[in-house]
Amino acid sequence: MPCLCLWAARLDSQVIGRADSAWSIAIPPPPQPPVEPPQQILQHYFNFGLDLPNLKIFYIGYNFFTGQIPDSLSNASALEGIDVIQNNFTGKVPLSFRSLLKLKVLSIGYNVLGNNELDDLKFVSSLINCSNLNFLSFAGNQFGGVLPSSIGNLSALNRLYFQENRIVGSISKEIIDLKNLTLLSALGNIFVDGIPDSIGMLSELVTAYFHDNQLTGEIPSSFGNMSQLESLFMFNNHFTGTIPASLASCKQLLFLYVDKNKLRGNIHPLMEITSLLTFDVASNSFTGFLPSFENLSRLIDFRVSHNKFSGDIPRSIGKCLALENIWMQNNSFQGLIPYLKDLTALKQFDLSSNKVLPLYLL
């Protein structure tokens, strides 16, 4: 716990008489003022603009501060970074942060901010003058309302986290104006409708988290324009339609999770992504046979369970030497189990509830 006291108790005593006197009299120290809890010290003892005029970095994350985020922080005009993550701050986010023109980092995640009200995210619009802001996190709070369209004005943003709130409505189409974005985390809200078709304009995006929402519609084909995309998490939504063939153009994709949706058709485009490490399309309505695994030599996790796949399991799966997990249960696979003896890294193999024969298992 950081100590932010401006006063310190004096523990020295005063002595009357000579230092070597046998009868010196000690005067007890003056009574000490009551110790206030750190959150009260933070609120009442600092006027950040006046007391700390040169403050550039203010990081107090992972503590037990309560109350509101001090509005006086906005008086410290040199501030470049504010990080109060994982405390117990409540109430509104100060709109006065708009005056922090040098601000680059604002991290207020995992507190108890917001009241699940429509104007909870008003502070986002107030940040449009913070033209240097490249990191914004207000994840893990109680923010309600819709994501403001003004989010698109924060053009310097590189990483944006607003997961695990109570944000409703659609994902703002203005988000495509954040051309420098490399990470977008929208998981665990109450977003409905579809992902904007123009999402592919975020050509620098590396990581996208859309899972655990109520998103509908088809997966935008423009994802194929994201040449830097490495992680795409879209599970546990209500996506429909087929896998867009354009996804095969995501040559850097490592982790793909589209499980627990309502997708159909085949998965052939995905089997062409040679970079894939994790491939999870479980719990959908995919049909047809599995194509060759020859392009998936780096694959570690392969999950296609709880679909409607049929046909033989390709023998080429036995050449994916990095495989650790194979989940193929609850389908209609048939024929013989391929030769898997070379898969020495394999830890989990589930082929239950199919129509296969055991030959070549060992």
Side-chain angles (χ1 to χ4, degrees), residues 204-255:
E204 300 299 315
L205 199 64
V206 175
T207 304
Y209 298 116
F210 294 107
H211 53 283
D212 291 325
N213 278 288
Q214 299 178 21
L215 293 166
T216 60
E218 298 188 355
I219 297 175
S221 60
S222 64
F223 271 121
N225 298 331
M226 296 181 177
S227 59
Q228 306 301 315
L229 191 63
E230 294 181 0
S231 301
L232 182 57
F233 289 68
M234 305 179 72
F235 63 86
N236 200 22
N237 279 289
H238 304 296
F239 290 115
T240 56
T242 60
I243 296 291
S246 60
L247 272 184
S249 299
C250 296
K251 302 300 184 182
Q252 306 297 320
L253 194 61
L254 302 176
F255 306 100

Side-chain angles (χ1 to χ4, degrees), residues 124 148-155 172 174-179:
V124 174
S149 59
S150 58
I151 194 80
N153 294 322
L154 304 177
S155 58
S172 173
E174 285 78 11
I175 210 162
I176 65 168
D177 294 328
L178 304 178
K179 297 297 193 295

Side-chain angles (χ1 to χ4, degrees), residues 147 160-165 171 175 184-191 208-213 215:
L147 189 66
L160 175 60
Y161 302 81
F162 50 87
Q163 74 268 17
E164 296 175 335
N165 279 288
I171 294 177
I175 210 162
L184 173 61
S185 184
L187 69 97
N189 282 287
I190 317 174
F191 287 117
Y209 298 116
F210 294 107
H211 53 283
D212 291 325
N213 278 288
L215 293 166

Side-chain angles (χ1 to χ4, degrees), residues 20-34:
D20 59 350
S21 171
W23 54 269
S24 58
I25 302 175
I27 299 177
Q32 302 177 19

Side-chain angles (χ1 to χ4, degrees), residues 1-2 59-66 84-88 111:
M1 178 73 66
Y59 290 171
I60 58 167
Y62 304 98
N63 278 292
F64 300 95
F65 291 107
T66 62
V84 299
I85 188 173
Q86 204 158 320
N87 280 282
N88 292 302
N111 282 278

Side-chain angles (χ1 to χ4, degrees), residues 270-286:
L270 304 181
M271 303 288 281
E272 298 176 17
I273 306 175
T274 59
S275 55
L276 277 176
L277 302 179
T278 297
F279 181 120
D280 194 339
V281 300
S283 300
N284 281 283
S285 296
F286 290 114

